[in-house]
Structures are given as C-alpha cells and as structure tokens.
Amino acid sequence: MKFMLNGFFLSLITAVLWGILPVFLQICLQALDSMTITWIRFLFAGLVVFVLLFSRNALPNILKQVPRAQFILLIAALALVVNYVSNVKSLDYVNPETVQVVMQIAPILLMLGGIVFYKEHLNRLEIIGAVILFVGLGLFFSPNLGLLFSSINSYNSGILLVVLAAVTWVAYALMQKVLLRSFTAKQLTLLIYLIGIFALTPFIHLSALTDLTQLQSFALLFCCLNTVIAYGCFTEALNVWSAAKVSAVIATGPVFTFISVVIAQQLLPEQFSLIKLNEFVLLGAVCVVGGSMTTALAKRKVVKPVV
C-alpha cells in the first residue's frame, strides 16, 4: 500500500510539472529562443546530475563502450535535443493546451515502435485505446480542420513541430532500452545532456539573458528546476510502481495544462488566451487522455528484444 501511494504521488507530481511546463516555457519565449532555453535547461540539469554522480564516484566512461553503443548514444542524444527544441518552438505557433494534447500520440507511437523493433504484440485493449485517442484528436481539432489541412500556416506548422517532438522522443525512448544495458539511467541522462549542450552551443544567444524581466527569470528558473525534479520523480515512480500505472497517471498532463492556462489567463490576460472550447473540443481532450491511459494500462505480452 505504501509503495502504491508513493508511486501514485510521484507520478502525479510528474504529471503536474510536465503539464504546467508549457505555460512557463511560453513566458520564456518572449525573451529567449527555443535553442537557448533548451541549452540552459540541459546545462542546469547536467550540473545537478554531474554533482550527484561525482559524489558517488559513478561518472560514466564512454571511451570504454563499444563503438555501436557510442553511436546509438549520439543518435539518441540528438533525437532528444530535437524533441526539446521542437517542443518549445511549437509554442511560438500554438497554445500550451494543444501542444500537450498532441503530445499524447507519443505513447501510441512508442507502442508501434515496440512492435516494429522489439517484436512486441498489441492486445485488444491497446487497440481500443489507440482508436479512442485518434478519434479524440479528430474531435479536438474539429474547429480548426480547415487550417490544419490548408496551405502552410502558423497553426499547422506548430502542430508539425509537436508531432516532430513526439516522434523524436519515441526514437530516444526506443534507443534508451538498448543504452540502459551499458549505462545507468543517471549516467545516460548526464551523457545526453552533455552531448546536447555541445550540439546547441553554436546556436544559442546568451546575451538576451541580461534583458529578462523578473517574471521571465522566474519562469526560466522554474523550467530548469522542472527538468530535474520531474525527471527525478518519474524515475523514482518507475522504481516503486509499475510502468503502465505511472504512464496512465502521467497521461493526465493535459488536464493540468488546461488548469494552468486558465490561471495564467486570469493573472496575465495580455499574454495567454484559452483555446475556444466547445463540446467537441472538450470531448476530444477527454478521449485523448482516456485513450492514452487505456493504452498505458493494457497488459502487453513482451518478447525479448533482438539486438
């Protein structure tokens, strides 16, 4: 019972932190570009993980790894960099609620990736969950279908960036399964942050930091802390609770995004506006969350991966 409660609350903290993150990222985007924000988040989180591993004498040694592991590590790190940058950049074009709802396709894509690369099998409940999710997406976007499928515009550009973020996160997650045979979770995290820092350095603009307002500085600090705390809670939740239940709780993230945007709209009406809600949009959002949770809770027969 104790482990169940711990797992639930840790998962809930993760869902809340990831759910409200887009609101703070949107504030940061008023002064900084997506690459600079991501670089700062990587640097902050990387320093925290480095100190933790150094204190335990557990720093990774990438030179001892076989070339195949080194190559997969590089690709996984670059995939996660694209995920972070495109996810933040999408907020230049669409609102936080839309970003969070569209990102719910990631569990479905991960499920399909497991079938293709790890010979896993779908069961009936997973299929039902996937159908509910995609029906929900159709309902959610119903007021904007004309914009979504018309010529290139800011709206469908934002949606494409979120889809790119979801795809690259899935690519990272699939490669992580292999990399965790060579590194611990914290070692892998540190290496990915370091690679991300080097990859993004040529494209950042730190001079803009001097122009941050107090609100923007607070938002940036929150984003950095969010990166460390949310991932730490997520990792610990997986240690004490089943991955399916953790994923199901985290799927409620869009609910907290909607709540945070409503609050932000009251506090900063000139900066935030809630999407136009009608019965189809609301039903679509509920279906997306429900479909994602259903898929996560489905018990899957897993075949040992062939690598």
Side-chain angles (χ1 to χ4, degrees):
M1 184 67 176
K2 179 181 178 181
F3 287 121
M4 182 182 74
L5 288 174
N6 287 343
F8 172 76
F9 284 116
L10 287 166
S11 303
L12 185 61
I13 291 171
T14 305
V16 172
L17 289 176
W18 284 349
I20 66 179
L21 178 63
V23 171
F24 290 87
L25 287 172
Q26 198 164 50
I27 294 173
C28 293
L29 279 169
Q30 295 167 4
L32 302 170
D33 62 88
S34 58
M35 291 190 180
T36 303
I37 294 171
T38 302
W39 186 89
I40 293 171
R41 292 174 67 192
F42 277 4
L43 180 64
F44 183 92
L47 287 173
V48 172
V49 178
F50 175 83
V51 171
L52 183 62
L53 290 175
F54 182 79
S55 66
R56 298 177 180 179
N57 196 28
L59 290 172
N61 188 342
I62 191 173
L63 298 178
K64 289 185 177 180
Q65 302 298 324
V66 296
R68 180 173 179 270
Q70 295 172 345
F71 177 74
I72 294 175
L73 172 64
L74 177 62
I75 300 302
L78 294 178
L80 199 62
V81 169
V82 175
N83 163 260
Y84 269 69
V85 172
S86 56
N87 198 28
V88 177
K89 184 64 178 176
S90 67
L91 290 165
D92 278 334
Y93 304 105
V94 293
N95 48 55
E97 314 97 286
T98 300
V99 171
Q100 281 292 79
V101 168
V102 177
M103 275 299 293
Q104 296 307 306
I105 67 172
I108 304 298
L109 296 177
L110 182 59
M111 178 182 69
L112 296 175
I115 295 169
V116 174
F117 296 104
Y118 294 106
K119 311 305 178 185
E120 297 173 352
H121 298 284
L122 280 179
N123 61 37
R124 185 177 300 175
L125 195 56
E126 286 178 315
I127 295 173
I128 292 173
V131 170
I132 293 173
L133 186 145
F134 283 110
V135 169
L137 285 175
L139 291 171
F140 184 81
F141 288 115
S142 57
N144 297 301
L145 286 178
L147 279 175
L148 192 60
F149 295 107
S150 64
S151 58
I152 296 296
N153 54 64
S154 60
Y155 184 76
N156 55 32
S157 295
I159 300 301
L160 287 174
L161 282 169
V162 185
V163 172
L164 176 62
V167 170
T168 49
W169 180 85
V170 170
Y172 159 76
L174 291 171
M175 287 182 278
Q176 184 188 47
K177 284 191 174 186
V178 177
L179 291 170
L180 286 174
R181 299 174 183 177
S182 304
F183 306 100
T184 67
K186 288 186 176 62
Q187 288 175 335
L188 179 58
T189 301
L190 175 61
L191 290 170
I192 285 174
Y193 286 152
L194 290 175
I195 294 172
I197 289 168
F198 283 114
L200 290 171
T201 296
F203 308 102
I204 63 173
H205 302 91
L206 295 179
S207 59
L209 289 172
T210 58
D211 299 324
L212 292 180
T213 65
Q214 187 174 6
L215 176 62
Q216 291 163 351
S217 299
F218 170 78
L220 181 60
L221 176 61
F222 176 84
C223 292
C224 292
L225 291 171
N226 189 298
T227 305
V228 176
I229 297 172
Y231 183 80
C233 289
F234 175 65
T235 303
E236 185 59 29
L238 290 174
N239 286 334
V240 299
W241 214 23
S242 71
K245 292 177 180 178
V246 171
S247 299
V249 174
I250 291 175
T252 62
V255 175
F256 299 107
T257 304
F258 273 87
I259 294 172
S260 63
V261 171
V262 170
I263 295 172
Q265 187 183 29
Q266 297 299 315
L267 297 175
L268 302 167
E270 71 283 356
Q271 297 182 25
F272 292 93
S273 60
L274 193 66
I275 61 175
K276 294 180 180 179
L277 296 175
N278 58 38
E279 60 274 18
F280 294 109
V281 173
L282 285 171
L283 179 60
V286 171
C287 287
V288 168
V289 172
S292 183
M293 293 175 67
T294 301
T295 301
L297 290 171
K299 293 182 179 179
R300 184 187 304 178
K301 180 181 178 182
V302 180
V303 178
K304 186 177 181 180
V306 179
V307 294

